[in-house]
Amino acid sequence: MQAQQVRAGFVELYGAEPEGVWSAPGRVNLIGEHTDYNDGFVMPFALPHTAVAAVSRRTDGVLRLHSADVEGGVVELRLDDLAPESDRAWTAYPAGVVWALREAGHAVTGADVHLTSTVPSGAGLSSSAALEVVVALALNDLYELGLQRWQLARLCQRAENVYVGAPTGIMDQTASACCEDGHALFLDTRDLSQKQIPFDLAAEGMRLLVVDTQVKHSHSEGEYGKRRAGCERGAALLGVDALRDIPYADLDAALERLGDDEEAVRLVRHVVTEDERVEKVVALLEAGDTRGIGPVLVAGHASLRDDFRISCPELDLVVDTAMKAGALGSRMTGGGFGGSAIVLADVADVDTVTKAVEEAFATAGFTAPRVFEAVPSPGARRLA
């Protein structure tokens, strides 16, 4: 249905049928937060919520963009005028992909694009990566560029880092491009090696809920960049290329070397222990002990809250309330400073946990959260 609506919208806007329709999902990260730009491990999976794009090629050096979700008409840009950090609107994400492709030497000569998305914006579920990846996949197909999924993810990351100006890691774009239905993606962000880990909660009588706190965030704002810079400083102080290179067994010795540099100690401790948590979750899932990942999720949240200091009262309330109501595990997910938390629960406890969280938000005077089930879904693909 979404593909048909996007196709019809394209025809209404541009007066012709599109050459194709593509989709790319948002993602939720099971474990592995703020490890991707430290060359570490992450474990996301794709959501059923997607960005969908109808696209046709142009040969005149013009890029026309339209979103069904944003007020306003078609935005027309000249490819030769695309420049980093020149655009602060939603159009920066698709335009940045075109810029990155052309900068890499790919002969993209223009496009008409009509987009819509069901990925909640500002919820820490990678709505921006979905926009980037769907446009990249469409142009890769239409222009027969022959790029592999991981290469598209790299180009989309460059678009977000350089063109948009947000210092994000590689996880979001890789998840959107590469995840598989019914699996979580164990990704080594240093070499982009991947392993699809079966993650069928329904078969085991469990559910994973996403609780969107409705607290909006923006990766291009300063706090995210400060954490990344702090991690890079910590790596430099320890004489390693990235915090990934500090073995978990050597963590105490590394922290001693940092002395009374409290900020570096906190950031290094989070990243090194978070990489260990990712590997622990992989081992548990491969051993068939899905229930056992619950305490690991909770430990991850405590580290993000206390060491990385990127939580907020709403996220902490979700985790605390869910655990008191019988959840198996819970933690914030995404870049932090708002966005969403995840909750792992037995099917029989889902309603109780959901009600408890909603009531806790009402009592605290917070905006009512949006709660939905996260089902591991397919990555980016062509629909028509």
Side-chain angles (χ1 to χ4, degrees), residues 115 201 356:
L115 289 151
L201 291 173

Side-chain angles (χ1 to χ4, degrees), residues 198-214:
F199 192 52
D200 186 359
L201 291 173
E204 301 185 58
M206 287 175 274
R207 296 288 186 272
L208 190 77
L209 304 177
V210 173
V211 182
D212 177 3
T213 65
Q214 307 284 347

Side-chain angles (χ1 to χ4, degrees), residues 73-85:
V74 173
V75 177
E76 184 170 311
L77 304 168
R78 292 207 59 81
L79 300 189
D80 290 343
D81 295 336
L82 299 181
E85 300 193 52

